[in-house]
Amino acid sequence: MQAFLRDATEFLPILLEGVRLTILVTIGSLILSTLLGLVWAIMRVSSIKLISRTSAGIINVIRGIPIIVQLFYIYFVMPDLGVSLTALQAAIIGLGIAYSAYQAENFRAGIEAIDKGQIEAAQSIGMGWWMTMRRVVLPQAVRLVLPPYGNTMIMMLKDSSQASTITVAELALQGKLIASSTFKNTSVFTLVALLYLVMSIPLILFVRHFEKKAGRP
Amino acid sequence: MIELRDIRKSYGSVEVLKGITASVEKGEVVCIIGPSGSGKSTILRCINGLESYNSGEILVEGQRVDRNAPSIVSIRTQVSMVFQRFNLFPHRTVLENVIEGPVFVKKEPRKEAIERARMLLAQVGLAEKADAHPPQLSGGQQQRVAIARALAMQPKAILFDEPTSALDPELVGEVLGVMRKLADDGMTMVVVTHEMGFAKEVADRVLFIDGGVIVEQGAAKDVLNDPKHARTQDFLRRVLHPL
Ligand SMILES: Nc1ncnc2c1ncn2[C@@H]1O[C@H](COP(=O)(O)OP(=O)(O)OP(=O)(O)O)[C@@H](O)[C@H]1O
Ligand SMILES: [Mg+2]
């Protein structure tokens, strides 16, 4: 235990640098995936077939390709097309796109769970499609969507470690680097695991809060 | 003010309206009665463009109803709808429900809209519930809010689709009372209902629909007290004496 504490004080500053990048990647890709997911979801529920099919197609393509391959594609292939990105940018964009498909399916489920009577009431007072979405459907869907959204956040936090495959020195990669240079595998990876857990706790509380809220009538 | 000319409507291969021709004059109260599945709701839904129709023509104040044309917005602000299941917006307060259309669709100044909304809520007996959320209200109260929301659009007519069918029996009266007051004030109303007492006392005219056609129509007293058609007689007997 003594040895562990000594290692901890020694390694924590470096690992915290990894934590910083982990949080950056997670928040960046969370925002991007939310915005994109919202776009896909709204397209998906459109009554215009071409739009909803396009969105379904995009979602399936994204879901059908492993996250790691999407990251490689954006980091290694985009420069050949004249778009070069830093590893951090590529990680945020790659994870953001990859997760937008899951966000979209969650948002769509929330939108479709809204009673058709709500949409008819909105139309009957003269609202158009977009105003119905904005003023009636989305505000109600948000409540349904939040608990699964929280779960997605937890998954994204953990999957941000995939950014290590394109050289982003986030928490997992920092840990691996320290471990391979000091051979203190136990201390290092215990610390890494603990740090991930600590970051998850607020998210877990978030989910619990909204699950309780959603459970109420 | 509302005219239907030979309206036909099919869902897939099933024709549910088989040539409906009818009209509603300004200030008139028309009740539509008929068995379940006969097409009563569909008629109302076609009038304010919640459904399309396959052929024929519906005119509201001379304007053709086409749910895909931009003019549908103006028609919907002229003809409001009250639903069987109220369909209030649960995430907004009673007052917000009532001003939603005036403020966001008709772009009225918020202050004026709120003033009128409070007046309308008082009119339906719910002035003190302005800040409640719909799920906190009884069914009868919710339906009265829905009527206030319809009135807030300052419509020329209101369509009611079985406004009391989802209510506990002891709450039916408060909603019918509000509707009767509206009728007395000269509102043009089309009411799909199973409340024969209301139809008898308030309606100017009654249409009896069965199988997607108007089987019989006329002055409320005539159709309800002295129906000519066997199907109307049979229907009324079953509604008035269920046992
Ligand atoms: N969206 C739909 N798709 C397919 N069929 C429908 C749809 N809506 C209604 N119908 C059918 O159309 C017919 C007429 O329905 P409508 O709702 O107008 O009847 P109604 O007279 O209002 O009956 P109720 O008294 O039960 O409300 C019914 O046979 C119904 O099953
Ligand atoms: Mg009906």
Side-chain angles (χ1 to χ4, degrees), chain A residues 138-189:
Chain A
L138 293 179
Q140 293 186 66
V142 164
R143 291 158 205 228
L144 300 173
V145 157
L146 274 177
Y149 186 79
N151 284 323
T152 305
M153 280 165 44
I154 295 170
M155 276 162 52
M156 291 186 76
L157 171 67
K158 294 186 290 185
D159 270 343
S160 67
S161 59
Q162 302 220 35
S164 63
T165 58
I166 54 169
T167 76
V168 177
E170 46 64 67
L171 181 54
L173 183 53
Q174 287 287 15
K176 189 168 151 236
L177 292 174
I178 301 172
S180 59
S181 62
T182 63
F183 302 106
K184 293 192 169 157
N185 289 326
T186 311
S187 298
V188 173
F189 288 121

Side-chain angles (χ1 to χ4, degrees), chain B residues 189-204:
Chain B
M189 296 163 56
V190 182
V191 186
V192 172
T193 189
H194 293 294
E195 296 293 334
M196 294 306 150
F198 177 84
K200 231 174 242 180
E201 288 185 35
V202 181
D204 298 302

Side-chain angles (χ1 to χ4, degrees), chain B residues 11 16 34-43 51 84 161-162 194:
Chain B
Y11 288 111
V16 299
S36 181
S38 55
K40 306 181 298 293
S41 300
T42 308
I43 293 176
E51 296 283 354
Q84 180 173 354
D161 190 2
E162 300 197 33
H194 293 294

Side-chain angles (χ1 to χ4, degrees), chain A residues 7 9 13 36 46-47 56 59 76 89 102 114 125 130 141 143 165 182 184 190 198 204 209:
Chain A
D7 291 345
T9 46
L36 280 178
S46 164
S47 53
I59 291 171
F76 298 116
Q89 287 167 340
Y102 304 102
I114 302 303
I125 56 172
W130 176 238
R143 291 158 205 228
T165 58
T182 63
K184 293 192 169 157
T190 304
V198 167
I204 290 167
H209 173 73

